Amino acid sequence: MTSDSTSTDLSGLDWATQRGMGALAEKMGMEFLEFSTERCVATLPVEGNTQPVGLMHGGAYVVLGESLGSMAANLHAGPGRLAVGVDINATHTRSATSGVVTGVCTPVHLGRSITVHEIVVTDDQGRRCSTIRITNMIRELPA
């Protein structure tokens, strides 16, 4: 069994869709497009996720990044293990004002006990809006 499969041999996207991204991501309108240990992609609408002045909220970029990075780390961890975030940072370089933003998550390091992912968030024109890095610790699930 590869790290992309689960005990029921679901594809990464099927696994992520079944598991769900959680209540916050769902309320924000996040949608999966692609999901594997090598690359995860999701979108988030700008509308409903803005600051009072109409710019995409920086925290919304971070929610997108953390959701992708944590879910990717959990897919890598495999059955019987759990990945939990221990560090996240973000650099915002542009503000989206309409449409959707797209987060592309790729691994920097996939270890037995630590993962590091980089998430690049771009606007509809492909311009980078935020770069997020998340570190997750992998633990055994309690018996």
Side-chain angles (χ1 to χ4, degrees):
M1 179 176 348
T2 69
S3 60
D4 270 3
S5 58
T6 65
S7 58
T8 57
D9 292 323
L10 296 171
S11 75
L13 186 57
D14 289 339
W15 174 87
T17 301
Q18 265 191 4
R19 183 177 179 144
M21 283 199 150
L24 176 60
E26 290 172 15
K27 284 180 184 178
M28 293 178 70
M30 199 174 301
E31 290 187 36
F32 294 115
L33 301 180
E34 187 179 326
F35 213 90
S36 72
T37 54
E38 294 83 29
R39 178 179 152 100
C40 302
V41 181
T43 60
L44 188 65
V46 174
E47 185 176 342
N49 293 309
T50 58
Q51 301 172 344
V53 296
L55 303 174
M56 182 79 163
H57 195 289
Y61 292 130
V62 176
V63 169
L64 177 59
E66 183 159 5
S67 297
L68 281 168
S70 291
M71 289 287 290
N74 274 285
L75 180 62
H76 167 72
R81 301 178 82 205
L82 175 68
V84 294
V86 295
D87 181 65
I88 190 163
N89 65 68
T91 302
H92 310 308
T93 50
R94 178 177 296 277
S95 297
T97 57
S98 64
V100 298
V101 294
T102 302
V104 177
C105 173
T106 55
V108 173
H109 173 76
L110 295 175
R112 192 176 68 73
S113 59
I114 293 284
T115 65
V116 179
H117 287 86
E118 178 182 72
I119 302 88
V120 174
V121 181
T122 56
D123 65 11
D124 283 338
Q125 291 78 45
R127 299 174 297 191
R128 187 180 296 229
C129 296
S130 187
T131 305
I132 300 142
R133 190 184 73 200
I134 184 169
T135 303
N136 282 279
M137 178 175 55
I138 299 175
R139 309 213 34 159
E140 297 296 323
L141 282 173

